[in-house]
Amino acid sequence: MAVGTGILRVPKEAKKGEIVRVQMVITHPMTPPRKDPQTGQTIPAYHLTKLDLFFNDKLVSTVNMGAGVSANPFMALTLKVEESGIVKIVYEDNKGGKWERTAEIKVS
Amino acid sequence: MRKKVVLGVFTVGALVGGILSTKAFAQTDRELTPEEEMRLVQEFNRMLAEGVNPGEIWYEVGKAAIKKYNLDKCDLGLGPGVFKGAAAQLPRYFADAGKVMDLETRVGWCLQKYAGMTQEQVLKFVRECWGKTGNCVSEYDGIIMYLTMESNGHKINVNLKDPHVKKMFEIGKQIYYARLGPWDFNCATCHAGTKEVRIRATRLWSADRPGEAGQAVSIFPKYLVRWGLPMTMHYRYAECIRQMRWPEFIPHSDLGVALSTYLYGLANGTEIKAPGIGR
Amino acid sequence: MKKGLILTGLFVLVAGVVQAQQKKVQPKKEQAVKQEEVMQVLKSGLSSDPRFAWKIKQDEAQRICSQYPSREEMPASAVQKVIQLSQAEIKYPQWGIYMGDWKEGKKLVDSPRGGRYASYGFSDEPTDKGGNCYACHLIEKGQPGGTMGPNLYQYGKRWGITKENLNSPETIEKIKAVYNIVYNSWSAFPCSSMPRFGYHGVFSPEDVANIVAFLLHPDSPVNK
Amino acid sequence: MDRRKFLILSVAAVVGLTMVPTFRPAFGATKLEEEIQKRLGVQLSQIKESADIKLTAPTIAESGANVPITVEATIPVDKVEKLYIFVDKNPVPWIADVSFTPMNGQVYFSTRIKMGETSNVRAILKLKDGSYVMATKEVKVTAGGCG
């Protein structure tokens, strides 16, 4: 499975004005630059750099990160929902990988 | 060592203009007892278990792999392709194979039968991520994760009334206590006894403390944060046996089945909650 | 007399271990399966590489210990037998008991990987010589350690070993008592969880002497 | 590769490769102070600790590979611009920063971070009025397992 797969988890339903938790896990090695023990060559860093959280295409939060975040990162943020809509996360790494995932919330 | 830490804190504290309040000092200065530390490590594990478990990613991997390898024909004891709750009643006796099998051994059997793999190919498939860290994702781990998670919420129910199963349980129990190898270990060295102990910082579960065997096995496959992958039960056996300085463990062997029968037998009645998460 | 005192001391010191192992376990039911069958299943799951054959030859003491979940359930005859077997095979350094080099001992105590193959697809070469002692013991203050074995903080101090009495005959006796435990723990505590390091050749007699020095020597960080 | 070696090497890599040696020149700042100066444009000594921001982290971590942390604040989210997370003794002390909008409803962020050794974790909030508040928690990183 490829790097960059993820789980985006939000409650399926919420009340208007409720603050809900948006949780996510993304597969990524999140490695800092390091030296290959055999060849002595430097293996470049490979990690996520940025994640944007959108709700109905409006930017809610941006997370910038380095290799200090654990492998297969978990993150959680909150979102105040006033209407039904689509939660979207867009994330990219330092090698040009870019992915997105969506989830739906019904607000009553 | 301690002195250094305190000194280090002091230096940093002095340098940043005394921002480090006395709170930081108090924390470093007070010696915690091993028991207090054990509680705090348990607290760490509870915090780790909050939120989404990265191990859940393997569920989708497994779902795809089951199609790819024709495992929807696989009968885990409730009929071909019936997976809901199936893992909870394993190990059990399978007439078609003529022996008791646990989940992983049965999946190996099915891989040979329905995916055309040889035994060697199966073993290679099983061990794809063994000893690896980083971003190793194996389809086998996915399959075991998927099949176990399909039993989430079901209670472990090993049929110890079946004489085949009962016999395997007894063999497993004796293996559990067999002192062997150049370091004289058995499973019970670490995982028995009523006294709560730890190995380095890790609290050890015990077969002699009620409920702990259940808590231990019901969360496998368990996502290990230090390797970034889920550890299946047979990988767990292999790791323990490696640490015991015995020869290398062969997955899907009767040894694995005997240990599973004993441990899941002890765990009867515990709800499956996969994946767990730990160090 | 002196010996008696020392022995008493030994038992006071290690009473913790005995207590730690007083697990209350249900008496075992009569064995429904044959021992050979158990061993056959066990060996079916371990690499059959002939280079490892020696690792799964169960010796008599191991066989006795395997029958009892804990020492408290062992009949006196079994306890005696294990002690006797274990005492009989203790070997001492060529020049007899002496206070070894604690700095060398520390290296063996610290190293975690003795006798363990490094990873899967392994070789039989032990990756390191060492006892992985911190896994089970707290030894030096400030070093994280396990609690399976007794706490060894200031072990030498507790034995009353000082710079002044370092070469006294009493001290030599104490060194010997500790040497015996490290070399073959079962000689003092039959079926203890602690590996019989000297017996299995994990450590040479000289290695054991160095480890004992690390535990007992007044200059060792253990006794600071 | 041997697993332990791998761990040691990756720690070594984390510690050694990505940063200058740890010695501190007489007039220079710590890596942490430099990093805070660079990213926030203020000196660490000017940032006050405050009870308005709460940082939850374990007192002891059984593994430095994955330390769960959660930051919450009682300060209304519309007054907040950005959250920064630092680990004092990591080779790269900066872990992440998070920008908030009123749509978040509150200041809340939870993640898992790497820690090379026992150290303070810091959560610093930059408010829209240009001021900063901070919460600090020491996490003791220890070793688990059979080694």
Side-chain angles (χ1 to χ4, degrees):
Chain A
M1 180 189 48
V3 164
T5 323
I7 296 174
L8 172 63
R9 191 162 295 166
V10 295
K12 284 198 177 76
E13 290 167 13
K15 293 212 163 59
K16 188 173 156 58
E18 192 182 336
I19 296 175
V20 299
R21 208 160 274 187
V22 179
Q23 303 187 92
M24 61 206 87
V25 159
I26 298 157
T27 47
H28 207 288
M30 302 299 285
T31 44
R34 59 196 166 89
K35 225 169 205 139
D36 186 304
Q38 263 95 44
T39 64
Q41 278 175 329
T42 304
I43 304 167
Y46 187 32
H47 57 81
L48 295 175
T49 51
K50 186 172 172 238
L51 178 141
D52 289 326
L53 169 69
F54 296 91
F55 186 59
N56 286 342
D57 290 327
K58 276 174 281 187
L59 182 66
V60 181
S61 266
T62 298
V63 183
N64 293 302
M65 69 198 105
V69 173
S70 303
N72 297 337
F74 164 81
M75 273 173 272
L77 287 155
T78 52
L79 180 65
K80 189 172 181 185
V81 286
E82 301 290 354
E83 53 179 351
S84 299
I86 306 288
V87 179
K88 181 167 77 175
I89 51 170
V90 180
Y91 44 98
E92 52 195 80
D93 69 20
N94 65 339
K95 286 191 183 173
K98 193 169 178 180
W99 305 267
E100 65 171 67
R101 295 197 87 77
T102 54
E104 204 181 339
I105 300 184
K106 276 212 166 68
V107 171
S108 55
Chain B
M1 180 65 198
R2 268 193 68 70
K3 244 184 199 158
K4 240 193 235 160
V5 173
V6 176
L7 212 81
V9 170
F10 184 76
T11 327
V12 174
L15 267 164
V16 298
I19 282 170
L20 281 176
S21 62
T22 44
K23 202 173 68 191
F25 273 98
Q27 276 173 358
T28 340
D29 257 353
R30 198 170 91 66
E31 196 88 47
L32 293 165
T33 68
E35 287 69 31
E36 286 172 312
E37 288 184 352
M38 256 194 280
R39 291 287 90 78
L40 289 166
V41 167
Q42 280 182 298
E43 182 60 31
F44 164 78
N45 279 297
R46 263 194 296 279
M47 291 169 86
L48 214 48
E50 283 168 19
V52 184
N53 187 323
E56 291 178 36
I57 283 174
W58 273 257
Y59 179 88
E60 292 298 327
V61 178
K63 200 172 175 181
I66 279 177
K67 285 214 180 68
K68 181 174 164 191
Y69 295 102
N70 264 329
L71 292 179
D72 33 18
K73 295 195 184 101
C74 189
D75 181 356
L76 297 179
L78 302 181
V82 182
F83 298 143
K84 279 261 179 267
Q89 42 95 54
L90 294 173
R92 64 171 286 153
Y93 179 77
F94 287 94
D96 54 6
K99 56 199 249 179
V100 176
M101 291 172 152
D102 64 358
L103 173 65
E104 291 189 52
T105 308
R106 185 63 180 177
V107 166
W109 188 86
C110 286
L111 283 168
Q112 288 191 44
K113 190 155 178 182
Y114 302 116
M117 287 191 190
T118 64
Q119 196 177 358
E120 280 85 83
Q121 284 169 330
V122 170
L123 289 185
K124 204 169 163 230
F125 190 58
V126 172
R127 290 190 280 217
E128 192 187 327
C129 289
W130 285 22
K132 295 198 180 134
T133 57
N135 205 55
C136 191
V137 180
S138 99
E139 289 177 313
Y140 176 79
D141 292 344
I143 291 167
I144 301 303
M145 182 64 80
Y146 175 83
L147 294 175
T148 314
M149 283 179 71
E150 285 294 284
S151 287
N152 270 348
H154 292 253
K155 284 182 176 162
I156 296 172
N157 178 27
V158 180
N159 182 11
L160 294 173
K161 289 195 184 104
D162 180 323
H164 293 104
V165 178
K166 179 70 183 162
K167 187 179 172 193
M168 227 28 183
F169 180 89
E170 288 301 329
I171 291 174
K173 184 177 182 181
Q174 288 199 39
I175 289 172
Y176 201 79
Y177 287 95
R179 302 294 293 261
L180 196 68
W183 281 44
D184 295 317
F185 289 139
N186 59 10
C187 304
T189 305
C190 293
H191 298 293
T194 49
K195 193 189 163 216
E196 201 179 8
V197 295
R198 66 177 189 190
I199 194 154
R200 273 178 235 277
T202 306
R203 180 185 177 277
L204 297 167
W205 70 269
S206 163
D208 291 328
R209 287 195 295 270
E212 288 199 3
Q215 285 165 27
V217 300
S218 61
I219 59 165
F220 272 80
K222 182 178 177 182
Y223 180 80
L224 299 191
V225 298
R226 67 189 190 282
W227 299 339
L229 49 78
M231 179 182 239
T232 69
M233 211 63 209
H234 279 230
Y235 188 8
R236 179 67 266 175
Y237 299 151
E239 263 304 289
C240 278
I241 283 171
R242 190 170 77 91
Q243 303 290 9
M244 287 158 77
R245 276 77 174 168
W246 291 8
E248 189 176 0
F249 172 73
I250 302 167
H252 300 179
S253 58
D254 280 351
L255 171 57
V257 175
L259 289 172
S260 290
T261 312
Y262 181 58
L263 293 173
Y264 284 84
L266 287 181
N268 263 349
T270 320
E271 197 178 295
I272 293 182
K273 280 185 192 148
I277 188 166
R279 179 176 71 90
Chain C
M1 184 59 206
K2 256 178 206 156
K3 218 172 195 169
L5 261 178
I6 286 160
L7 273 177
T8 318
L10 171 65
F11 276 102
V12 169
L13 268 174
V14 289
V17 193
V18 181
Q19 260 170 8
Q21 288 175 352
Q22 282 186 358
K23 307 158 181 166
K24 206 162 156 98
V25 187
Q26 298 291 324
K28 250 182 150 182
K29 275 187 272 173
E30 38 35 276
Q31 295 180 3
V33 277
K34 289 201 196 79
Q35 193 57 34
E36 302 84 71
E37 203 173 351
V38 172
M39 289 312 278
Q40 197 196 329
V41 170
L42 202 166
K43 286 175 186 174
S44 78
L46 301 176
S47 165
S48 57
D49 188 321
R51 289 173 299 164
F52 303 123
W54 65 277
K55 290 191 174 185
I56 40 175
K57 281 211 180 82
Q58 209 176 31
D59 71 18
E60 197 182 347
Q62 283 179 334
R63 206 172 41 73
I64 296 170
C65 295
S66 300
Q67 291 166 33
Y68 308 98
S70 72
R71 192 182 308 133
E72 291 57 53
E73 283 160 65
M74 293 172 72
S77 60
V79 170
Q80 271 311 310
K81 183 72 187 165
V82 174
I83 290 183
Q84 187 197 327
L85 284 167
S86 304
Q87 280 177 347
E89 64 72 39
I90 296 180
K91 291 184 182 64
Y92 296 99
Q94 201 180 347
W95 315 112
I97 284 290
Y98 64 98
M99 182 65 95
D101 178 347
W102 67 261
K103 285 183 185 126
E104 287 302 311
K106 180 176 163 60
K107 288 182 201 159
L108 298 170
V109 166
D110 287 350
S111 168
R113 294 187 305 162
R116 201 191 74 189
Y117 51 90
S119 190
Y120 301 95
F122 52 94
S123 77
D124 190 36
E125 287 301 309
T127 45
D128 243 326
K129 193 152 82 166
N132 199 15
C133 307
Y134 280 102
C136 300
H137 294 281
L138 287 157
I139 308 172
E140 264 180 70
K141 274 252 188 243
Q143 290 270 59
T147 58
M148 275 178 73
N151 184 337
L152 300 175
Y153 287 165
Q154 307 203 316
Y155 197 60
K157 257 191 196 159
R158 286 190 262 159
W159 276 94
I161 294 172
T162 62
K163 277 204 164 107
E164 290 69 39
N165 67 21
L166 207 49
N167 297 311
S168 71
E170 288 87 349
T171 297
I172 295 293
E173 280 301 312
K174 289 171 186 170
I175 293 173
K176 187 174 176 183
V178 177
Y179 180 98
N180 288 350
I181 300 174
V182 178
Y183 191 94
N184 188 332
S185 55
W186 294 5
S187 68
F189 312 107
C191 310
S192 157
S193 296
M194 179 163 150
R196 296 170 291 168
F197 288 112
Y199 166 77
H200 286 296
V202 174
F203 296 135
S204 68
E206 290 72 23
D207 292 335
V208 175
N210 291 338
I211 290 166
V212 172
F214 176 64
L215 295 175
L216 298 182
H217 199 285
D219 287 343
S220 158
V222 174
N223 298 309
K224 292 295 164 195
Chain D
M1 190 190 344
D2 178 305
R3 187 172 278 143
R4 173 166 291 269
K5 226 182 240 163
F6 173 83
L7 280 176
I8 290 169
L9 279 168
S10 41
V11 168
V14 170
V15 173
L17 255 178
T18 49
M19 68 167 293
V20 279
T22 45
F23 74 86
R24 197 179 300 132
F27 300 106
T30 62
K31 191 82 192 165
L32 173 76
E33 288 169 305
E34 278 174 18
E35 195 86 20
I36 286 177
Q37 178 73 51
K38 186 179 106 192
R39 291 187 184 266
L40 281 67
V42 288
Q43 303 226 317
L44 176 57
S45 57
Q46 293 170 322
I47 303 173
K48 297 275 172 296
E49 290 218 39
S50 160
D52 297 335
I53 169 170
K54 193 176 137 211
L55 167 65
T56 312
T59 307
I60 297 183
E62 201 182 340
S63 158
N66 224 299
V67 180
I69 61 158
T70 300
V71 182
E72 289 160 284
T74 52
I75 304 164
V77 69
D78 52 353
K79 292 191 175 157
V80 172
E81 193 175 319
K82 224 167 184 184
L83 164 71
Y84 297 85
I85 293 163
F86 295 95
V87 173
D88 290 18
K89 292 192 189 164
N90 270 17
V92 180
W94 173 73
I95 301 290
D97 54 62
V98 186
S99 67
F100 292 97
T101 61
M103 284 172 82
N104 286 102
Q106 68 180 83
V107 177
Y108 174 92
F109 180 65
S110 180
T111 189
R112 289 160 196 166
I113 63 173
K114 295 179 199 164
M115 292 184 68
E117 58 181 304
T118 297
S119 165
N120 275 327
V121 180
R122 287 169 203 273
I124 302 175
L125 268 187
K126 183 183 186 187
L127 306 183
K128 288 212 171 119
D129 65 8
S131 67
Y132 292 88
V133 288
M134 174 168 72
T136 309
K137 161 105 172 125
E138 192 194 44
V139 177
K140 187 177 167 192
V141 176
T142 177
C146 336

